[in-house]
Amino acid sequence: MTGCTSKSKDRSPDWALNTAAVERMQTRPTFAAGSETEADALQRFNAFYEEYTYDAIKAGVRGLYAEDAWFGDPFHIVEGIDEIEHYFLVMAEPVERCTFTVDSVQRSGDEYFARWTMELESKAAKGELIKTIGISHVKFNQDGKIIFQQDYWDSSAMLDRLPIVGYWTRLVKDRIEKGLKK
C-alpha cells in the first residue's frame, strides 16, 4: 500500500537541460537554406527513421548525428553520439516493426520542425498497431549532422497498450474525458 501513497522519484526529463541545449545551439553555424547540404541532411533524416530497427540504427546513427549531439523525447534526455546510439538501440529492442513517415518539414531560421507519423508494433503489445503523430525540433551543424533534436509526441499512445500501465493511463484519460463532459 505504501507504494501507492508514497512520493516517487520524478522521472520526467529535466527541461532545464533542454533550455540550455537550445541556447548552446544558437551560436553554432549551420548551412544555407536551399543548399545541397540541407537537402542531403533532410534526406538522411527521413531515410534513417523510415525503418527504425537495430540494424538501421547501427548503420546510420553516426552519419546523422554529430559527436556532441543532444537528443530529448518524453522518456529521456541524452547527450553525445555514444549515449544517443545506446538509447536508440535500447528503445528498439522490444520493437517488432517501427516506421516514421515524415509528413512535412518547416524551416524557421536555422531550425527545422518535422511533423511525422509513427507506426509501431511492439513485443510488449503483441498484435496491436500503435499509431501516433509527433514533431521533431531539429538543428543541424554546418556539415549537415544533427546537433539538437527534441521530439514531442503523445507517449500515452504506446503506454495505453501495455499490461498494467495501460489500465492506469486509460483510467486517467477516461476521468479527464468525463470531467470535460460536465
Side-chain angles (χ1 to χ4, degrees):
M1 283 300 258
T2 60
C4 295
T5 59
S6 65
K7 286 192 174 188
S8 63
K9 178 183 174 188
D10 181 5
R11 298 197 184 279
S12 54
D14 180 353
W15 295 112
L17 296 174
N18 175 285
T19 302
V22 169
E23 288 172 1
R24 274 195 318 272
M25 78 169 181
Q26 296 303 329
T27 61
R28 301 280 299 269
T30 191
F31 44 74
S35 67
E36 190 174 311
T37 305
E38 177 188 55
D40 181 56
L42 293 173
Q43 185 281 326
R44 281 185 292 108
F45 179 83
N46 291 349
F48 180 78
Y49 285 102
E50 280 178 348
E51 289 291 330
Y52 193 78
T53 65
Y54 184 91
D55 291 339
I57 292 165
K58 286 299 271 184
V61 71
R62 292 177 183 273
L64 182 61
Y65 291 87
E67 286 290 321
D68 61 343
W70 187 98
F71 178 88
D73 70 10
F75 295 113
H76 215 60
I77 291 174
V78 290
E79 292 188 66
I81 189 62
D82 293 335
E83 284 190 37
I84 291 170
E85 180 181 51
H86 175 72
Y87 179 58
F88 286 4
L89 292 172
V90 168
M91 293 300 283
E93 282 178 17
V95 168
E96 290 185 341
R97 184 182 73 81
C98 183
T99 62
F100 291 85
T101 302
V102 177
D103 302 309
S104 68
V105 177
Q106 301 296 317
R107 181 181 172 131
S108 177
D110 60 359
E111 298 175 39
Y112 295 80
F113 299 86
R115 187 174 57 82
W116 44 260
T117 303
M118 177 182 73
E119 289 190 3
L120 170 68
E121 293 175 27
S122 173
K123 295 172 188 167
K126 285 253 186 231
E128 290 203 46
L129 176 64
I130 300 166
K131 191 171 181 178
T132 190
I133 58 172
I135 293 178
S136 293
H137 173 198
V138 178
K139 177 157 179 175
F140 296 93
N141 66 16
Q142 62 192 5
D143 299 323
K145 289 192 173 185
I146 294 173
I147 56 171
F148 173 89
Q149 181 175 339
Q150 175 64 59
D151 285 353
Y152 303 95
W153 58 283
D154 179 9
S155 59
S156 73
M158 184 172 55
L159 298 175
D160 285 353
R161 282 139 179 107
L162 297 176
I164 303 169
V165 173
Y167 168 80
W168 294 106
T169 61
R170 289 187 308 273
L171 180 69
V172 169
K173 285 179 176 181
D174 288 345
R175 286 189 177 174
I176 291 170
E177 188 175 325
K178 285 177 186 172
L180 293 173
K181 290 180 181 178
K182 288 183 180 181

